[in-house]
Amino acid sequence: MRLTSDAFSGGEKIPQEFTCEGDDRSPPLKWSGAPKETKSFVLLCEDPDAPRGVFRHWACYDIPAYHTELVEGAGRPEGFEDFRHGINDFDELGYNGPCPPHGHGVHHYHFRLLALDCAELPIRTHPTCKEVEVEARKHLLAETELVGIFHR
């Protein structure tokens, strides 16, 4: 599988509009090459460079298998009812973008796409991003990632 964005390439800086210094909206993401057995997708975004360890910015799940992209701004739960969002480490539902501490150096943001063998995750309403990932890994067919960077 392959995950790309029209907003940034792997290893490049994530544009400000997709961070806490901008509109804090999710970037557009596209994918291809999913296994034919795929029944749904999970999209995760996390920062392993956070001062207290991995910081989870986004988890959306139960994305129907016919999807091959998430449009810009899909990280806001309003208006995107054909998939669900988890609670991120900002304690909010949906996407909150890169927002590393000032002067903490470059942080790497891992956008990971997981192809699953189930249409819906058997998970509680409003799970945390970590709970989404733990359950998704039980149904994993394939995984890919796109890493962007950001610093303040």
Side-chain angles (χ1 to χ4, degrees), residues 58-90:
W58 190 22
C60 60
Y61 62 102
D62 294 350
I63 303 168
Y66 61 81
H67 277 265
T68 57
E69 68 179 320
L70 290 177
V71 298
E72 184 175 314
R76 293 287 171 242
E78 314 83 36
F80 296 95
E81 287 81 22
D82 63 342
F83 54 87
R84 301 169 193 251
H85 296 272
I87 302 290
N88 61 37
D89 287 350
F90 291 99

Side-chain angles (χ1 to χ4, degrees), residues 26-106:
S26 58
L29 297 163
K30 295 180 182 179
W31 57 87
S32 60
K36 64 180 178 180
E37 304 85 15
T38 301
K39 294 185 179 166
S40 72
F41 296 100
V42 166
L43 194 289
L44 305 166
C45 177
E46 59 192 25
D47 170 12
D49 303 317
R52 294 188 180 128
V54 175
F55 193 92
R56 291 166 178 85
H57 288 261
W58 190 22
C60 60
Y61 62 102
D62 294 350
I63 303 168
Y66 61 81
H67 277 265
T68 57
E69 68 179 320
L70 290 177
V71 298
E72 184 175 314
R76 293 287 171 242
E78 314 83 36
F80 296 95
E81 287 81 22
D82 63 342
F83 54 87
R84 301 169 193 251
H85 296 272
I87 302 290
N88 61 37
D89 287 350
F90 291 99
D91 202 27
E92 294 188 20
L93 191 63
Y95 175 87
N96 287 94
C99 198
H102 289 279
H104 197 259
V106 174

